[in-house]
Amino acid sequence: RQFSGYESMGATQQLVDAFRMKDGTAITPDKESGYSKANYSDPKSGWVFAPAGTRNMFVNREPRFYQDITYSGKIWQKTDKKIYFYKGMPDDNSKADMSYSGYLLYKGMNRDLLNQGNNPKSKYRASMLFRLADFYLLYAEALNHVNPGDARIIQYVDSIRYRAGIPLLKDIKPEIIGNRELQEKAIRHERRIELFAEGQRYFDVRRWMCAEEEGYKQGGP
């Protein structure tokens, strides 16, 4: 709203918690409390993922988190301004064009755009019909149902993780290799993060016949 974006698309806390830490592990309560004392930046580009003073729950997260989610305290692109969601403030998040959950979608936002001044305000992008990552994960899922011992299952899931910039399953969770149930869990989690906001989750949880189970329900706080 601060930059007249009017996105009106939020993310649930459950989804935010599903993103991993940069070391590939799950976020835990001890990593969530308090505020950071220094900028957390990309050493190559210098891009500040999480500025000093950010809630620790938004620090040291995996790269996809910073590409996908606008969280409270994030520096908006092409500016030095931080985005905040405060209830009862001028940009009250109970208004229809604000985020009810305290998060907005950042995935798909062109990093060259800013709806202010002389900055480019729109840019053409061809629509995406097929995603290689989707094929890899569907193939891994099918292989796991046919033969859980097939080495290609972890290979294809790890190809997604490698591109995402997080540790590979074969290195940090070798104990799941060959275990159908644990590999299925890993594949489902990878689909949730990699294909977030791409219209897949609705159909995934129904294909898996678990749409009414905790952890798979649509929506939430």
Side-chain angles (χ1 to χ4, degrees):
R1 178 173 164 82
Q2 184 173 10
F3 301 107
S4 301
Y6 297 100
E7 183 179 31
S8 300
M9 293 185 66
T12 64
Q13 185 65 51
Q14 185 186 66
L15 184 281
V16 169
D17 289 343
F19 282 91
R20 301 180 182 87
M21 305 300 291
K22 69 176 182 178
D23 63 1
T25 61
I27 189 168
T28 52
D30 61 293
K31 299 173 183 175
E32 294 181 329
S33 61
Y35 296 83
S36 63
K37 297 180 180 179
N39 289 346
Y40 173 55
S41 307
D42 178 11
K44 293 183 179 179
S45 67
W47 187 33
V48 178
F49 291 135
T54 301
R55 283 283 304 274
N56 280 330
M57 66 184 298
F58 306 135
V59 180
N60 294 320
R61 303 300 294 272
E62 64 164 294
R64 287 178 293 190
F65 173 78
Y66 301 106
Q67 297 291 338
D68 291 358
I69 301 293
T70 299
Y71 57 88
S72 194
K74 181 185 183 76
I75 295 178
W76 194 247
Q77 60 193 42
K78 299 177 73 68
T79 76
D80 58 356
K81 296 181 179 179
K82 298 178 182 179
I83 300 296
Y84 288 104
F85 304 107
Y86 289 135
K87 206 170 190 67
M89 300 296 283
D91 282 338
D92 190 336
N93 70 344
S94 63
K95 295 179 181 177
D97 56 0
M98 291 297 291
S99 168
Y100 290 163
S101 66
Y103 303 101
L104 287 175
L105 189 66
Y106 193 56
K107 186 173 187 176
M109 171 67 69
N110 188 288
R111 307 303 189 259
D112 296 326
L113 304 182
L114 183 66
N115 199 22
Q116 281 188 355
N118 296 323
N119 294 290
K121 297 175 176 58
S122 64
K123 189 173 183 178
Y124 170 78
R125 185 184 72 175
S127 61
M128 192 178 297
L129 298 180
F130 299 104
R131 279 262 266 130
L132 185 59
D134 189 16
F135 284 122
Y136 281 178
L137 293 171
L138 284 173
Y139 190 45
E141 185 179 327
L143 289 173
N144 192 46
H145 280 268
V146 175
N147 176 18
D150 195 315
R152 291 173 295 177
I153 297 169
I154 296 299
Q155 174 189 338
Y156 279 104
V157 176
D158 274 348
S159 68
I160 306 299
R161 295 171 68 93
Y162 176 79
R163 180 177 180 271
I166 58 176
L168 308 183
L169 290 176
K170 70 180 183 66
D171 296 329
I172 65 172
K173 289 188 175 182
E175 70 277 5
I176 79 169
I177 297 176
N179 184 308
R180 178 176 176 174
E181 182 178 343
L182 295 180
Q183 287 181 154
E184 181 81 6
K185 184 178 179 180
I187 293 167
R188 291 183 180 189
H189 193 104
E190 211 63 49
R191 286 189 66 81
R192 184 178 199 183
I193 300 302
E194 178 65 24
L195 302 175
F196 162 59
E198 296 183 28
Q200 299 286 359
R201 184 72 173 175
Y202 179 90
F203 300 100
D204 283 347
V205 298
R206 285 158 177 77
R207 184 176 77 255
W208 299 329
M209 294 185 287
C210 59
E212 297 301 321
E213 296 178 16
E214 289 300 325
Y216 293 100
K217 293 180 179 179
Q218 305 283 269

